Amino acid sequence: MAQTFRGKGIRGAEARYGWAFVAPAILIIGVFLVIPIFLALFVSFSNWNGLGSPLNNSALVGADNYAKVLVEPGLAQRDFGLSIRNNLYYVVLVVPLQTALALFLAVQVNRRILRGRGFFRTAFYFPSVTSSVAIVTIFIFLFTASGAVNAILGFFGADGPNWFADPSGIIHNLLAGVGITSAPDALLAAGPLGLDWWSWLSGPSVAMCVLIILAIFTTSGTFMLLFLAALQNVSGEIDEAAMVDGAGPFRKFFSVTLPMLKPTLFTVLTLGLIGTWQVFDQIYLTGKGAPGKTLLTPAYLAYDTSFKGLNWGEGAAISFILFIIIVSFTLLQRYVLRDRDLGRSGERRAAKREKQFRSEAAEGAAQLARKSDASTPQGERR
């Protein structure tokens, strides 16, 4: 009876009306996002060539497309290995540097004594809202052999490289500077994805370094705003308490402010990680992987394999491998930045600390009792 009464009450039809309101959004997401994802997953296990419907004009080939880029020796595996190597160096350098620069800029523009804070916030954020095509074009002119960057280096007596035409790795160049121009025999052994270890340890190419600088320049402003919003939510009472306790600026920042920014830090690192693994437009505009495929990335390789090579199954396989890489790194990052005071591990640590505290308290009480007995005259103890 109670259920019947609630069903006929004023709130009884809320569920139906709620589903009616969200149905258009669910329909749009399902048609334009969920179904294409499952269709792409089907294509990754087929030999579809892009002509007609993949459901009618293709045959399932199992995991052949994945095996071709992961385990089968050949050009496809080597190109995929080069793209992973290039993108890995790009991620390792861009994500920490852009995060550190964004945090530094946020701290500076958050200072109350800084004049013209609004101007600096706008100036630092402006590259993030500028067209990436325009910024890449400007960087191409700046880093040509006769560009402004080499002109500045020449003013100081240094000869700049032909940036976008130099495929040499910076680690190899540094080793060549100390006389190591060829690979040791141990590093010539075959490594993962068809590359030897010497190739894996080449470092980013000179051309890739330009894209790393470009990425840091264009994305730090966006992440600066996220850190700035988080810094403005930090209570001034906390800073005053830290100052009263004698904490200096650096101690206060690393022990008080930075731990309170952990949720924002996780967001910034996650967005940076996803964005750097999906880099495409800069690659497309700066030579489509040239020079020497040192600018090749998995995102561009998937596009090139699908649209130019008409091997849509292999291209879809590369895309889903890239998806797995992004999810894996995100989960690893979440594990590293997890709150260690929560969950079962946090409970175990809390119990261990409590047990240690009780043990130290009992030991201290015992030592105090022994000292008291030792200081008491023998006649009084009797």
Side-chain angles (χ1 to χ4, degrees):
M1 292 297 293
Q3 293 180 354
T4 304
F5 176 77
R6 284 197 299 270
K8 293 181 179 180
I10 191 173
R11 305 174 65 89
E14 282 189 354
R16 293 194 300 271
Y17 289 131
W19 281 109
F21 278 114
V22 301
I26 294 176
L27 182 63
I28 292 173
I29 293 174
V31 172
F32 294 102
L33 182 62
V34 178
I35 293 178
I37 289 176
F38 281 102
L39 187 60
L41 183 62
F42 170 80
V43 169
S44 70
F45 291 99
S46 70
N47 62 352
W48 187 48
N49 60 1
L51 302 177
S53 171
L55 299 177
N56 299 326
N57 298 325
S58 63
L60 292 175
V61 294
D64 289 353
N65 292 321
Y66 292 90
K68 192 173 182 180
V69 298
L70 291 176
V71 296
E72 294 182 2
L75 182 61
Q77 186 197 39
R78 180 171 177 80
D79 284 348
F80 182 70
L82 287 172
S83 69
I84 292 294
R85 182 202 64 182
N86 301 336
N87 215 151
L88 186 62
Y89 281 115
Y90 184 83
V91 172
V92 168
L93 290 174
V94 170
V95 174
L97 292 177
Q98 74 181 5
T99 303
L101 179 59
L103 182 56
F104 174 77
L105 294 177
V107 171
Q108 299 309 311
V109 300
N110 192 48
R111 294 178 180 273
R112 296 178 181 178
I113 61 174
L114 178 66
R115 295 183 178 180
R117 286 183 295 172
F119 167 78
F120 287 109
R121 292 174 184 179
T122 304
F124 293 148
Y125 181 66
F126 186 74
S128 300
V129 297
T130 307
S131 170
S132 61
V133 176
I135 293 180
V136 172
T137 304
I138 293 173
F139 265 67
I140 290 175
F141 282 109
L142 290 176
F143 285 89
T144 56
S146 58
V149 174
N150 282 353
I152 295 174
L153 293 176
F155 178 78
F156 291 99
D159 294 329
N162 191 357
W163 297 88
F164 283 106
D166 194 341
S168 60
I170 58 173
I171 296 180
H172 284 180
N173 291 339
L174 293 175
L175 292 176
V178 295
I180 303 176
T181 57
S182 59
D185 294 337
L187 296 180
L188 292 176
L193 300 176
L195 300 180
D196 55 55
W197 290 107
W198 180 248
S199 297
W200 278 105
L201 298 176
S202 66
S205 67
V206 174
M208 179 61 79
C209 290
V210 179
L211 297 188
I212 292 172
I213 298 172
L214 187 151
I216 296 172
F217 173 75
T218 55
T219 57
S220 298
T222 301
F223 297 142
M224 177 201 70
L225 290 184
L226 297 179
F227 281 124
L228 182 60
L231 285 171
Q232 291 178 346
N233 287 329
V234 177
S235 174
E237 298 176 354
I238 298 177
D239 290 338
E240 293 176 1
M243 293 176 62
V244 170
D245 289 339
F250 290 98
R251 182 67 174 176
K252 182 182 69 172
F253 176 78
F254 287 103
S255 299
V256 179
T257 304
L258 191 58
M260 299 188 69
L261 297 179
K262 183 181 287 188
T264 305
L265 181 63
F266 174 77
T267 302
V268 168
L269 290 174
T270 302
L271 294 176
L273 188 68
I274 295 173
T276 50
W277 275 109
Q278 293 180 338
V279 58
F280 172 82
D281 48 351
Q282 295 92 333
I283 308 302
Y284 184 84
L285 294 169
T286 55
K288 302 176 177 59
K293 296 183 180 180
T294 57
L295 295 184
L296 193 64
T297 61
Y300 181 80
L301 181 62
Y303 160 81
D304 188 70
T305 303
S306 300
F307 286 88
K308 293 186 177 180
L310 296 181
N311 194 342
W312 291 82
E314 185 179 325
I318 294 173
S319 299
F320 277 97
I321 294 173
L322 180 59
F323 168 76
I324 294 173
I325 291 174
I326 293 174
V327 171
S328 301
F329 273 96
T330 303
L331 293 176
L332 176 63
Q333 178 179 285
R334 181 178 182 180
Y335 174 78
V336 172
L337 295 178
R338 72 190 186 282
D339 193 342
R340 290 173 172 79
D341 294 330
L342 300 177
R344 294 182 178 178
S345 59
E347 293 177 358
R348 289 195 296 267
R349 280 189 289 271
K352 184 178 180 180
R353 287 195 297 267
E354 184 178 359
K355 183 179 179 180
Q356 183 179 1
F357 174 76
R358 291 180 177 179
S359 176
E360 292 176 353
E363 184 178 354
Q367 291 179 356
L368 183 62
R370 286 194 296 269
K371 290 181 180 179
S372 177
D373 292 341
S375 62
T376 303
Q378 185 175 4
E380 294 182 6
R381 279 185 285 180
R382 291 178 180 178

